[in-house]
Amino acid sequence: MQINIDTNSGFCFGVVNAIETAERYLENHDELYCLGDIVHNNMEVERLEKMGLKTITHDDLAQMKNATVLLRAHGEPPSTYETAVKNNITLVDASCPVVLRLQNRVLKGWENIRKMNGQLVIYGKEGHAEVLGLDGQTDGNAIVVGSIADLDKIDFTRPIELFTQTTKGKEGFAAIIKAIEQRIEAEGTEIPFIVNDSLCGAVSNRAPQMREFSAKNDVIVFVSGQKSSNGKYLYSVCQEINKRSYFVSSPDEIDPSWFSAETNSVGVCGATSTPMWLMENVAKKVEEITSTN
Ligand code: SF4
């Protein structure tokens, strides 16, 4: 039986940059605080914690003084930078450049739409770190919608400017745009509706590759942390194509019943927050299981 690891899976450049920044710092220092999980993958967080990384919360940050704190790829709202200045905290800013550019676009979008008595809407996960950073550009005035069911939060008689969290799926974003257009039409008013496609190519470009990979293998083992947004999206892409797709966060979660004597190939793939070493460990475990089956 063949076990294939998807070479297109694994960390995106934003996550690579954050992790390498932490590793470089820890080569010369005993510890580094990180505001929130550096990556939505517990096993990678544990590896870095062994090197001296200490994960803290925003409440911890508010209490700290004279420390050095890493900002991860998701980006932070302006209030975090203000707290750092107030508490004499040195920031090692590993915010992804794609997210920083988006924050700037949201800031400008908000300045524009508020002049029109409009609303800035973010298609994303309420409470997600990146969404909090984007909402911070609007002083907390953004309307966050996670699904079509949330659209009642929007006033369809006032102008709307729409952005999306970088890691959402193209299909979900298209569905939200269509649903908003329908609601505006139903209202019967002519209002400006400005759509900003702010999806990150590092995630959305993976979907077609993942479809192809899922079709080529009999069974798919998708590796990701439970908290990863892009992990949820990319796993749904695998499931769409291959019904024998399974989600695991670690090699221990692999169930031998997923593989049968007729299974000729198993594909191992993952999210932009999944380390390659973890996918390799999963592939090894699949090999152990299938060789004794
Ligand atoms: S998914 Fe895109 S925006 Fe998010 S960290 Fe990776 S490269 Fe940056």
Side-chain angles (χ1 to χ4, degrees):
M1 196 191 61
Q2 213 176 330
I3 300 165
N4 305 307
I5 299 180
D6 179 22
T7 49
N8 292 311
S9 287
F11 291 155
C12 59
F13 65 86
V15 172
V16 168
N17 174 53
I19 289 173
E20 287 182 355
T21 304
E23 285 174 337
R24 269 196 308 273
Y25 186 90
L26 290 167
E27 273 169 22
N28 304 309
H29 301 83
D30 293 337
E31 60 177 28
L32 172 64
Y33 295 104
C34 179
L35 189 54
D37 286 343
I38 188 164
V39 56
H40 286 158
N41 190 284
N42 289 347
M43 299 197 72
E44 180 67 0
V45 171
E46 277 167 28
R47 183 185 76 82
L48 290 160
E49 281 176 351
K50 282 189 194 127
M51 293 172 70
L53 194 75
K54 292 192 163 64
T55 307
I56 57 162
T57 64
H58 286 82
D59 286 345
D60 296 330
L61 185 80
Q63 307 299 323
M64 287 175 106
K65 294 243 161 17
N66 312 318
T68 300
V69 176
L70 178 92
L71 302 185
R72 59 191 171 170
H74 289 318
E76 285 295 320
S79 56
T80 298
Y81 294 87
E82 286 157 18
T83 304
V85 170
K86 201 170 79 198
N87 291 5
N88 195 32
I89 285 167
T90 305
L91 294 177
V92 179
D93 196 345
S95 301
C96 175
V98 175
V99 175
L100 290 178
R101 272 198 299 275
L102 173 56
Q103 287 187 346
N104 204 23
R105 285 171 67 193
V106 169
L107 178 67
K108 290 198 174 123
W110 173 236
E111 280 167 4
N112 171 49
I113 204 79
R114 70 188 297 200
K115 280 189 210 135
M116 298 157 74
N117 187 32
Q119 310 146 92
L120 190 137
V121 177
I122 299 169
Y123 169 49
K125 189 176 172 213
E126 185 99 56
H128 186 283
E130 182 192 311
V131 173
L132 294 175
L134 299 178
D135 189 21
Q137 310 306 314
T138 71
D139 282 329
N141 285 296
I143 298 169
V144 180
V145 296
S147 67
I148 290 173
D150 290 338
L151 294 187
D152 285 342
K153 294 182 188 174
I154 304 172
D155 176 354
F156 291 97
T157 64
R158 287 165 53 211
I160 299 166
E161 178 143 5
L162 176 70
F163 287 88
T164 173
Q165 182 182 336
T166 56
T167 48
K168 297 298 274 182
K170 261 186 188 163
E171 302 78 2
F173 188 42
I176 288 283
I177 295 169
K178 196 167 164 213
I180 293 178
E181 284 169 348
Q182 284 168 345
R183 297 282 292 263
I184 294 171
E185 208 183 316
E187 204 62 50
T189 48
E190 294 257 324
I191 54 150
F193 175 35
I194 305 161
V195 176
N196 298 274
D197 180 349
S198 44
L199 296 170
C200 174
V203 179
S204 52
N205 294 342
R206 276 193 195 181
Q209 294 164 341
M210 204 139 273
R211 282 193 187 96
E212 209 177 300
F213 185 76
S214 301
K216 274 190 196 150
N217 291 280
D218 294 340
V219 175
I220 291 291
V221 181
F222 186 89
V223 192
S224 169
Q226 296 280 356
K227 287 191 263 178
S228 168
S229 286
N230 80 84
K232 283 189 191 96
Y233 167 59
L234 292 174
Y235 176 54
S236 74
V237 167
C238 296
Q239 274 184 314
E240 221 178 77
I241 302 295
N242 189 331
K243 296 293 164 232
R244 292 173 73 192
S245 296
Y246 303 99
F247 186 106
V248 298
S249 296
S250 78
D252 305 337
E253 295 171 15
I254 299 169
D255 184 338
S257 71
W258 297 341
F259 318 106
S260 65
E262 288 76 44
T263 306
N264 291 318
S265 60
V266 177
V268 177
C269 53
T272 63
S273 46
T274 306
M276 188 48 82
W277 63 261
L278 185 54
M279 284 185 277
E280 284 164 359
N281 287 356
V282 166
K284 254 187 233 150
K285 185 78 182 189
V286 172
E287 195 170 2
E288 272 169 39
I289 292 171
T290 52
S291 60
T292 54
N293 257 357

PDB file of all heavy atoms in Angstrom, residues 12-15 73-74 96-99 130 166-167 200-203 230 272, ligand 1:
ATOM      1  N   CYS A  12       2.060  27.825   5.996  1.00  0.00           N
ATOM      2  CA  CYS A  12       2.120  28.924   5.023  1.00  0.00           C
ATOM      3  C   CYS A  12       3.293  29.828   5.442  1.00  0.00           C
ATOM      4  O   CYS A  12       3.839  29.687   6.535  1.00  0.00           O
ATOM      5  CB  CYS A  12       0.819  29.719   5.083  1.00  0.00           C
ATOM      6  SG  CYS A  12       0.513  30.407   6.713  1.00  0.00           S
ATOM      7  N   PHE A  13       3.640  30.802   4.580  1.00  0.00           N
ATOM      8  CA  PHE A  13       4.829  31.613   4.880  1.00  0.00           C
ATOM      9  C   PHE A  13       4.633  32.475   6.127  1.00  0.00           C
ATOM     10  O   PHE A  13       5.581  32.760   6.845  1.00  0.00           O
ATOM     11  CB  PHE A  13       5.266  32.456   3.672  1.00  0.00           C
ATOM     12  CG  PHE A  13       4.287  33.502   3.254  1.00  0.00           C
ATOM     13  CD1 PHE A  13       4.295  34.764   3.847  1.00  0.00           C
ATOM     14  CD2 PHE A  13       3.346  33.250   2.272  1.00  0.00           C
ATOM     15  CE1 PHE A  13       3.387  35.743   3.473  1.00  0.00           C
ATOM     16  CE2 PHE A  13       2.437  34.217   1.883  1.00  0.00           C
ATOM     17  CZ  PHE A  13       2.452  35.465   2.482  1.00  0.00           C
ATOM     18  N   GLY A  14       3.363  32.844   6.433  1.00  0.00           N
ATOM     19  CA  GLY A  14       3.110  33.666   7.625  1.00  0.00           C
ATOM     20  C   GLY A  14       3.430  32.894   8.896  1.00  0.00           C
ATOM     21  O   GLY A  14       4.035  33.429   9.833  1.00  0.00           O
ATOM     22  N   VAL A  15       3.057  31.627   8.918  1.00  0.00           N
ATOM     23  CA  VAL A  15       3.315  30.786  10.093  1.00  0.00           C
ATOM     24  C   VAL A  15       4.815  30.439  10.173  1.00  0.00           C
ATOM     25  O   VAL A  15       5.413  30.475  11.253  1.00  0.00           O
ATOM     26  CB  VAL A  15       2.429  29.514  10.046  1.00  0.00           C
ATOM     27  CG1 VAL A  15       2.823  28.532  11.137  1.00  0.00           C
ATOM     28  CG2 VAL A  15       0.958  29.893  10.198  1.00  0.00           C
ATOM     29  N   ALA A  73       1.279  35.389  13.836  1.00  0.00           N
ATOM     30  CA  ALA A  73       0.897  35.772  12.469  1.00  0.00           C
ATOM     31  C   ALA A  73      -0.486  36.409  12.347  1.00  0.00           C
ATOM     32  O   ALA A  73      -0.722  37.210  11.454  1.00  0.00           O
ATOM     33  CB  ALA A  73       0.969  34.538  11.558  1.00  0.00           C
ATOM     34  N   HIS A  74      -1.423  36.055  13.258  1.00  0.00           N
ATOM     35  CA  HIS A  74      -2.806  36.539  13.152  1.00  0.00           C
ATOM     36  C   HIS A  74      -2.964  38.055  13.236  1.00  0.00           C
ATOM     37  O   HIS A  74      -4.001  38.588  12.864  1.00  0.00           O
ATOM     38  CB  HIS A  74      -3.655  35.959  14.292  1.00  0.00           C
ATOM     39  CG  HIS A  74      -3.929  34.506  14.160  1.00  0.00           C
ATOM     40  ND1 HIS A  74      -4.262  33.917  12.968  1.00  0.00           N
ATOM     41  CD2 HIS A  74      -3.943  33.512  15.087  1.00  0.00           C
ATOM     42  CE1 HIS A  74      -4.466  32.626  13.166  1.00  0.00           C
ATOM     43  NE2 HIS A  74      -4.270  32.351  14.435  1.00  0.00           N
ATOM     44  N   CYS A  96       1.633  38.492  10.209  1.00  0.00           N
ATOM     45  CA  CYS A  96       1.814  38.183   8.786  1.00  0.00           C
ATOM     46  C   CYS A  96       1.614  39.451   7.954  1.00  0.00           C
ATOM     47  O   CYS A  96       0.644  40.188   8.181  1.00  0.00           O
ATOM     48  CB  CYS A  96       0.808  37.115   8.377  1.00  0.00           C
ATOM     49  SG  CYS A  96       0.846  36.780   6.624  1.00  0.00           S
ATOM     50  N   PRO A  97       2.491  39.703   6.988  1.00  0.00           N
ATOM     51  CA  PRO A  97       2.334  40.913   6.158  1.00  0.00           C
ATOM     52  C   PRO A  97       0.991  40.964   5.429  1.00  0.00           C
ATOM     53  O   PRO A  97       0.440  42.040   5.204  1.00  0.00           O
ATOM     54  CB  PRO A  97       3.489  40.844   5.156  1.00  0.00           C
ATOM     55  CG  PRO A  97       4.216  39.581   5.416  1.00  0.00           C
ATOM     56  CD  PRO A  97       3.694  38.957   6.672  1.00  0.00           C
ATOM     57  N   VAL A  98       0.435  39.800   5.102  1.00  0.00           N
ATOM     58  CA  VAL A  98      -0.874  39.765   4.417  1.00  0.00           C
ATOM     59  C   VAL A  98      -1.946  40.306   5.370  1.00  0.00           C
ATOM     60  O   VAL A  98      -2.823  41.075   4.979  1.00  0.00           O
ATOM     61  CB  VAL A  98      -1.227  38.317   3.971  1.00  0.00           C
ATOM     62  CG1 VAL A  98      -2.624  38.246   3.380  1.00  0.00           C
ATOM     63  CG2 VAL A  98      -0.195  37.800   2.982  1.00  0.00           C
ATOM     64  N   VAL A  99      -1.855  39.922   6.640  1.00  0.00           N
ATOM     65  CA  VAL A  99      -2.840  40.379   7.636  1.00  0.00           C
ATOM     66  C   VAL A  99      -2.654  41.882   7.903  1.00  0.00           C
ATOM     67  O   VAL A  99      -3.633  42.627   7.999  1.00  0.00           O
ATOM     68  CB  VAL A  99      -2.713  39.561   8.949  1.00  0.00           C
ATOM     69  CG1 VAL A  99      -3.650  40.113  10.019  1.00  0.00           C
ATOM     70  CG2 VAL A  99      -3.010  38.090   8.705  1.00  0.00           C
ATOM     71  N   GLU A 130      -7.517  36.847  14.421  1.00  0.00           N
ATOM     72  CA  GLU A 130      -7.370  37.738  13.254  1.00  0.00           C
ATOM     73  C   GLU A 130      -8.569  38.685  13.148  1.00  0.00           C
ATOM     74  O   GLU A 130      -8.407  39.878  12.862  1.00  0.00           O
ATOM     75  CB  GLU A 130      -7.252  36.915  11.970  1.00  0.00           C
ATOM     76  CG  GLU A 130      -7.039  37.804  10.751  1.00  0.00           C
ATOM     77  CD  GLU A 130      -7.206  37.071   9.439  1.00  0.00           C
ATOM     78  OE1 GLU A 130      -6.617  35.986   9.280  1.00  0.00           O
ATOM     79  OE2 GLU A 130      -7.929  37.583   8.571  1.00  0.00           O
ATOM     80  N   THR A 166      -8.933  36.129   6.336  1.00  0.00           N
ATOM     81  CA  THR A 166      -8.086  35.595   5.255  1.00  0.00           C
ATOM     82  C   THR A 166      -8.245  34.089   5.035  1.00  0.00           C
ATOM     83  O   THR A 166      -8.039  33.609   3.928  1.00  0.00           O
ATOM     84  CB  THR A 166      -6.599  35.855   5.560  1.00  0.00           C
ATOM     85  OG1 THR A 166      -6.296  35.287   6.841  1.00  0.00           O
ATOM     86  CG2 THR A 166      -6.263  37.326   5.546  1.00  0.00           C
ATOM     87  N   THR A 167      -8.610  33.369   6.094  1.00  0.00           N
ATOM     88  CA  THR A 167      -8.573  31.903   6.001  1.00  0.00           C
ATOM     89  C   THR A 167      -9.929  31.260   5.734  1.00  0.00           C
ATOM     90  O   THR A 167     -10.063  30.043   5.834  1.00  0.00           O
ATOM     91  CB  THR A 167      -7.976  31.310   7.301  1.00  0.00           C
ATOM     92  OG1 THR A 167      -8.629  31.925   8.415  1.00  0.00           O
ATOM     93  CG2 THR A 167      -6.495  31.548   7.389  1.00  0.00           C
ATOM     94  N   CYS A 200      -6.809  34.833   1.712  1.00  0.00           N
ATOM     95  CA  CYS A 200      -5.368  34.641   1.480  1.00  0.00           C
ATOM     96  C   CYS A 200      -5.165  33.512   0.471  1.00  0.00           C
ATOM     97  O   CYS A 200      -5.687  32.414   0.651  1.00  0.00           O
ATOM     98  CB  CYS A 200      -4.676  34.311   2.797  1.00  0.00           C
ATOM     99  SG  CYS A 200      -2.947  33.889   2.540  1.00  0.00           S
ATOM    100  N   GLY A 201      -4.354  33.803  -0.531  1.00  0.00           N
ATOM    101  CA  GLY A 201      -4.065  32.812  -1.573  1.00  0.00           C
ATOM    102  C   GLY A 201      -3.403  31.560  -1.000  1.00  0.00           C
ATOM    103  O   GLY A 201      -3.567  30.459  -1.531  1.00  0.00           O
ATOM    104  N   ALA A 202      -2.675  31.723   0.125  1.00  0.00           N
ATOM    105  CA  ALA A 202      -1.983  30.564   0.720  1.00  0.00           C
ATOM    106  C   ALA A 202      -2.991  29.509   1.169  1.00  0.00           C
ATOM    107  O   ALA A 202      -2.651  28.333   1.282  1.00  0.00           O
ATOM    108  CB  ALA A 202      -1.129  31.008   1.907  1.00  0.00           C
ATOM    109  N   VAL A 203      -4.238  29.934   1.416  1.00  0.00           N
ATOM    110  CA  VAL A 203      -5.287  28.968   1.794  1.00  0.00           C
ATOM    111  C   VAL A 203      -6.156  28.641   0.583  1.00  0.00           C
ATOM    112  O   VAL A 203      -6.330  27.480   0.228  1.00  0.00           O
ATOM    113  CB  VAL A 203      -6.183  29.523   2.930  1.00  0.00           C
ATOM    114  CG1 VAL A 203      -7.280  28.532   3.284  1.00  0.00           C
ATOM    115  CG2 VAL A 203      -5.344  29.830   4.161  1.00  0.00           C
ATOM    116  N   ASN A 230      -8.535  27.426   8.914  1.00  0.00           N
ATOM    117  CA  ASN A 230      -8.246  26.939   7.565  1.00  0.00           C
ATOM    118  C   ASN A 230      -8.233  25.418   7.551  1.00  0.00           C
ATOM    119  O   ASN A 230      -8.542  24.794   6.540  1.00  0.00           O
ATOM    120  CB  ASN A 230      -6.959  27.561   7.015  1.00  0.00           C
ATOM    121  CG  ASN A 230      -5.710  26.898   7.531  1.00  0.00           C
ATOM    122  OD1 ASN A 230      -5.275  25.880   6.992  1.00  0.00           O
ATOM    123  ND2 ASN A 230      -5.117  27.442   8.578  1.00  0.00           N
ATOM    124  N   THR A 272      -2.619  24.960   6.908  1.00  0.00           N
ATOM    125  CA  THR A 272      -1.447  25.853   6.829  1.00  0.00           C
ATOM    126  C   THR A 272      -0.783  25.990   8.208  1.00  0.00           C
ATOM    127  O   THR A 272       0.250  26.621   8.336  1.00  0.00           O
ATOM    128  CB  THR A 272      -1.833  27.271   6.335  1.00  0.00           C
ATOM    129  OG1 THR A 272      -2.724  27.852   7.282  1.00  0.00           O
ATOM    130  CG2 THR A 272      -2.480  27.234   4.970  1.00  0.00           C
TER     131      THR A 272
HETATM  132  S1  SF4 B   1      -2.896  31.970   5.971  1.00  0.00           S
HETATM  133 FE1  SF4 B   1      -2.182  33.690   4.720  1.00  0.00          FE
HETATM  134  S2  SF4 B   1      -2.672  35.494   5.942  1.00  0.00           S
HETATM  135 FE2  SF4 B   1      -2.768  33.752   7.337  1.00  0.00          FE
HETATM  136  S3  SF4 B   1      -0.724  33.624   8.212  1.00  0.00           S
HETATM  137 FE3  SF4 B   1      -0.736  32.281   6.435  1.00  0.00          FE
HETATM  138  S4  SF4 B   1       0.066  33.571   4.761  1.00  0.00           S
HETATM  139 FE4  SF4 B   1      -0.564  34.945   6.412  1.00  0.00          FE
END
